[in-house]
Amino acid sequence: MTTYLESERLTLRPFAAADADLLIELDSDPAVMRYLTGGAPTPPEEVRDRAIPAILAGYERWDHDLGLFAAYEKDGGAFVGWFCLRPLRSGPREEAELGYRLRRAAWGRGYATEVSRALLAKGFAELGLRLVWAETMAANRPSRNVMEKLGMVLVESVPVPEDMAAVEGAEHGGVRYEITREQWAPGRA
């Protein structure tokens, strides 16, 4: 399978239709889904019928330059989760969202920061991005720490979507971080 990006310890590659079970397993861990659904798993049919087709369509939409990518450990090949660098469907191509979802076994190992740094470098130096943004719940301190380590700046509070109103910490709202090409410099983040 084609490699999209390599960091020191991980390799990112495009998802394939046959990878649905990886996403189903990831999204069925209540701890992984804590700040997304309150711990409820994503129904398998939603992954197979909506998520995977949308991921694959994104590769075509953005000429395989941007999207959501499966992450594997270089040492042993274990699936650790996914990372994304992609615009909003209706947004400008030079503004992309940075995101990730990792298996619990991969937490606390620095993977989110390591790969996100590599994605920022690719986005700004190779893909012509002007702005990278990330959003999370205000209560999600681990993800906020990653964004801050990357040099991203808190720019605003954002409302929590209605379907997340019952999620722990929703009363605190969400936050949006950004970094521009001018703010980013190789080696800075």
Side-chain angles (χ1 to χ4, degrees):
M1 184 62 67
T2 304
T3 296
Y4 174 74
L5 178 84
E6 287 193 12
S7 68
E8 181 182 340
R9 298 173 293 162
L10 298 181
T11 299
L12 270 58
R13 69 160 179 79
F15 276 100
D19 292 330
D21 287 343
L22 295 173
L23 292 177
I24 291 167
E25 183 264 329
L26 178 66
D27 283 11
S28 60
D29 183 333
V32 170
M33 301 304 287
R34 176 181 176 190
Y35 291 114
L36 301 164
T37 64
T42 304
E45 60 277 4
E46 185 175 319
V47 172
R48 286 190 187 96
D49 299 341
R50 288 192 213 135
I52 289 286
I55 291 166
L56 299 178
Y59 300 141
E60 296 301 318
R61 181 180 306 114
W62 301 304
D63 302 319
H64 298 270
D65 288 338
L66 299 160
L68 191 140
F69 300 91
Y72 294 87
E73 290 178 336
K74 287 181 177 180
D75 184 18
F79 172 74
V80 298
W82 59 255
F83 288 83
C84 76
L85 187 64
R86 62 183 176 188
L88 291 175
R89 180 173 284 166
S90 60
R93 183 183 170 104
E94 56 277 341
E95 294 182 10
E97 174 190 17
L98 173 68
Y100 43 84
R101 187 173 303 167
L102 301 176
R103 296 172 79 191
R104 223 184 315 181
W107 292 0
R109 300 179 68 187
Y111 288 157
T113 303
E114 175 184 320
V115 174
S116 294
R117 279 186 178 134
L119 285 169
L120 287 176
K122 182 175 184 82
F124 290 131
E126 296 177 28
L127 302 176
L129 296 181
R130 182 185 64 74
L131 173 83
V132 174
W133 57 274
E135 290 181 355
T136 191
M137 300 213 21
N140 188 349
R141 181 39 62 190
S143 280
R144 293 182 70 178
N145 288 345
V146 170
M147 295 171 198
E148 291 165 4
K149 286 179 194 175
L150 297 171
M152 299 181 87
V153 177
L154 175 64
V155 294
E156 65 181 339
S157 295
V158 294
V160 172
E162 284 184 33
D163 63 342
M164 292 176 62
V167 173
E168 173 192 352
E171 68 275 12
H172 303 293
V175 289
R176 179 181 173 109
Y177 284 77
E178 294 180 353
I179 189 168
T180 65
R181 184 182 316 135
E182 292 75 27
Q183 291 168 323
W184 173 84
R188 177 181 179 258

